[in-house]
Amino acid sequence: ARFREPDPSKPRIVLAYSGGLDTSTQLAYLAHEKGYEVCAYIADLGQDDVKDKAAIEEIRDKAQASGAYSFECVDLRREFIRDYVYECIRANCLYEGRYLLGTSMARPCIAKKQVELAWREKAEYVSHGSTGKGNDQVRFELCYLGMDPNLKCVTLWREPEYLAKFEGRQDLLDYASSHNIPVSQTKKHSYSEDENIMHISYESGELEDPAYPGVVTEYPGLVLKKKTQDLMDTPDEPCRLEIDFDNGAPVAVREHDASGAVTNSTGEDPLALFAKLNELAGIHGVG
């Protein structure tokens, strides 16, 4: 969606945007404080934030209200599964023997399309919402450099002025509120999510306080079961699955009843296959 034509006297930048607290604040800061013309770009990797047209339009409207001249939501789900998730499955990629790299594998997929949009928009700058002390900044920026070393990366979390203004998550919330930017995070529940069709992870806020009660009926008990359900609520009968692999990638899924008869079959389309496995896993409490 193109809201208006960018001012040719201002530099253009493509921001990896989620519509969440961090990047909503950064979009407004880049546009109003730093003088950039911002193209807000969100990659659809299967996260609930962009699960339907209404959800995408809500994020689009937020980008416009924050000062963007353009908004792009690009469906990368099949590419993500085929070229990134399956490649990691083939390599049996695990961090410290347990973490499936759900965030790590997504960043190159997001960054690749971001650079392509920068070329299309004739933007000299790109930006991401990653912090200045984590791994994500490296994942994004290595992709930028690998594809186009002439692109300049604006990293607000490494700028002293930005760090002084936003010393914590509460400052971000207050800034968003002062600019009438609607964000889902509240002062009561100050946490963030990273979700795609491969995984979901949470960080910040009460989650980092070991003393905070993790009761089942309130935050964060049910929040952390967004993609699965409590074992007490799962079916008593197991799910019988047969999965075919070709060169390390799944190409078919068949469900069987207790007698062994096939009750449902999903072909090799990576998106349909992965979505079916996510559905079945969630029903049966996996994760």
Side-chain angles (χ1 to χ4, degrees):
R2 205 170 188 88
F3 310 126
R4 57 180 172 81
E5 288 304 311
D7 184 339
S9 68
K10 294 181 178 180
R12 297 183 196 179
I13 188 168
V14 178
L15 171 67
Y17 182 66
S18 70
L21 176 62
D22 281 16
T23 55
S24 292
T25 303
Q26 291 188 2
L27 197 168
Y29 189 88
L30 288 167
H32 301 306
E33 318 287 347
K34 303 286 283 185
Y36 287 99
E37 286 285 17
V38 184
C39 171
Y41 148 67
I42 184 169
D44 179 358
L45 299 181
Q47 66 272 34
D48 282 354
D49 289 345
V50 291
K51 65 182 177 181
D52 54 37
K53 183 179 179 181
I56 295 171
E57 288 177 349
E58 181 180 344
I59 297 175
R60 177 203 64 195
D61 294 345
K62 188 187 303 184
Q64 184 178 17
S66 300
Y69 76 86
S70 179
F71 170 77
E72 298 280 345
C73 180
V74 185
D75 186 352
L76 297 175
R77 292 175 296 171
R78 282 184 176 82
E79 179 180 337
F80 175 53
I81 296 169
R82 183 188 65 236
D83 297 341
Y84 299 85
V85 176
Y86 282 0
E87 291 302 313
C88 287
I89 291 174
R90 285 190 182 97
N92 197 26
C93 289
L94 289 173
Y95 177 69
E96 295 187 340
R98 59 183 296 184
Y99 177 52
L100 295 170
L101 304 175
T103 294
S104 312
M105 67 178 69
R107 299 318 189 209
C109 184
I110 297 169
K112 176 176 178 288
K113 178 56 66 174
Q114 186 179 3
V115 171
E116 292 170 355
L117 284 174
W119 292 339
R120 190 196 74 185
E121 293 296 315
K122 296 180 172 54
E124 296 180 2
Y125 299 86
V126 288
S127 185
H128 55 75
S130 307
T131 67
K133 61 180 181 179
N135 293 322
D136 266 350
Q137 58 181 338
V138 180
R139 297 169 184 142
F140 276 112
E141 291 172 39
L142 283 177
C143 289
Y144 301 155
L145 288 168
M147 291 184 69
D148 188 346
N150 294 316
L151 280 174
K152 304 176 185 68
C153 184
V154 177
T155 52
L156 292 177
W157 281 121
R158 297 205 299 263
E159 292 189 1
E161 179 184 3
Y162 193 81
L163 289 170
K165 187 176 182 66
F166 302 105
E167 295 184 347
R169 209 158 190 83
Q170 194 60 57
D171 292 330
L172 295 170
L173 287 164
D174 293 339
Y175 183 85
S177 177
S178 70
H179 284 74
N180 297 315
I181 302 170
V183 289
S184 59
Q185 289 88 340
T186 68
K187 296 183 180 181
K188 182 179 179 182
H189 296 158
S190 183
Y191 67 95
S192 65
E193 301 174 352
D194 179 74
E195 180 189 11
N196 56 51
I197 199 167
M198 173 69 180
H199 91 139
I200 187 168
S201 61
Y202 302 83
E203 69 173 355
S204 193
E206 292 88 341
L207 294 177
E208 298 182 8
D209 179 3
Y212 194 84
V215 292
V216 173
T217 55
E218 300 173 9
Y219 170 88
L222 294 180
V223 173
L224 301 183
K225 297 188 186 305
K226 184 174 179 180
K227 299 181 85 70
T228 187
Q229 59 181 343
D230 194 281
L231 289 176
M232 296 301 293
D233 299 325
T234 58
D236 293 331
E237 289 295 317
C239 178
R240 297 171 174 85
L241 285 179
E242 187 176 14
I243 305 176
D244 292 344
F245 286 83
D246 182 20
N247 291 322
V251 294
V253 172
R254 289 178 294 280
E255 300 169 60
H256 296 264
D257 60 19
S259 70
V262 176
T263 58
N264 189 43
S265 179
T266 304
E268 64 180 302
D269 173 46
L271 179 56
L273 187 151
F274 218 86
K276 171 56 69 173
L277 289 175
N278 273 352
E279 175 192 344
L280 294 172
I283 291 171
H284 290 270
V286 176

